[in-house]
């Protein structure tokens, strides 16, 4: 038994399915995998000069820059775009640059991204007042 809280995103006024609905967890993990792989390739090939240890460190900076620029301008990273996701503010508009940076820094710390609410939003999204939705 237990309380019925409705579908994910109901409290935020989002539809249950289709465009604008909360992004599925599997797609979100897929998008972060694509984005991280892209950052590792860029870091390894352009910045670390073949040093795998340095590539991992450089990839953090590349991810921060890529995420801040792409989410701050078009609302999605390359991985999110490929999988049909975007990041919007809780009100449905674009995120401001400050909130994008806060969200990205918290995402890089990993732990906030692993703490979810009943809508499936990570702590990094809650503190950045962001929602990942389907396109």
């Amino acid at each position: 038994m237990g309380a019925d809280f409705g579908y994910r995103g109901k409290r935020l006024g989002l539809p249950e399915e289709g465009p604008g609905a909360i992004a599925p967890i599997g797609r979100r993990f897929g998008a972060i995998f694509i984005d991280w792989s892209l950052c590792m390739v860029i870091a390894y090939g352009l910045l670390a000069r073949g040093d795998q240890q340095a590539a991992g460190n450089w990839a953090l900076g590349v991810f921060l820059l890529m995420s801040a620029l792409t989410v701050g301008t078009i609302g999605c990273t390359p991985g999110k775009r490929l999988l049909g996701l975007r990041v919007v503010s809780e009100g449905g508009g674009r995120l401001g640059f400050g909130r994008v940076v806060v969200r990205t820094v918290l995402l890089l710390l990993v732990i906030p991204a692993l703490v979810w609410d009943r809508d499936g939003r990570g702590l990094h999204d809650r503190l950045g007042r962001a929602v990942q939705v389907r396109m």
Side-chain angles (χ1 to χ4, degrees):
M1 296 291 202
D4 180 21
F5 294 114
Y7 61 89
R8 292 182 327 133
K10 183 176 183 179
R11 293 182 314 141
L12 300 169
L14 300 174
E16 186 171 1
E17 293 187 23
I22 294 281
I25 301 299
R27 281 193 195 179
R28 290 169 58 184
F29 278 127
I32 196 80
F33 177 78
I34 292 168
D35 291 336
W36 185 250
S37 298
L38 179 63
C39 290
M40 284 297 290
V41 168
I42 291 169
Y44 185 77
L46 298 177
L47 302 170
R49 297 189 179 107
D51 181 8
Q52 288 182 349
Q53 181 70 21
N57 295 332
W58 278 108
L60 291 170
V62 172
F63 185 87
L64 176 68
L65 185 64
M66 180 189 71
S67 184
L69 291 177
T70 59
V71 173
T73 56
I74 61 173
C76 57
T77 61
K80 288 184 191 334
R81 182 71 170 182
L82 284 173
L83 297 180
L85 307 177
R86 66 187 168 122
V87 180
V88 296
S89 71
E90 288 175 340
R94 265 189 21 188
L95 281 180
F97 187 71
R99 286 200 269 164
V100 169
V101 171
V102 166
R103 182 186 175 279
T104 303
V105 168
L106 290 171
L107 182 60
L108 287 173
L109 293 175
V110 178
I111 299 299
L114 298 176
V115 178
W116 297 343
D117 66 4
R118 66 181 177 206
D119 289 319
R121 293 191 310 157
L123 189 58
H124 66 295
D125 281 333
R126 290 200 47 134
L127 293 175
R129 292 190 288 176
V131 183
Q132 293 187 56
V133 296
R134 295 178 181 187
M135 286 187 171

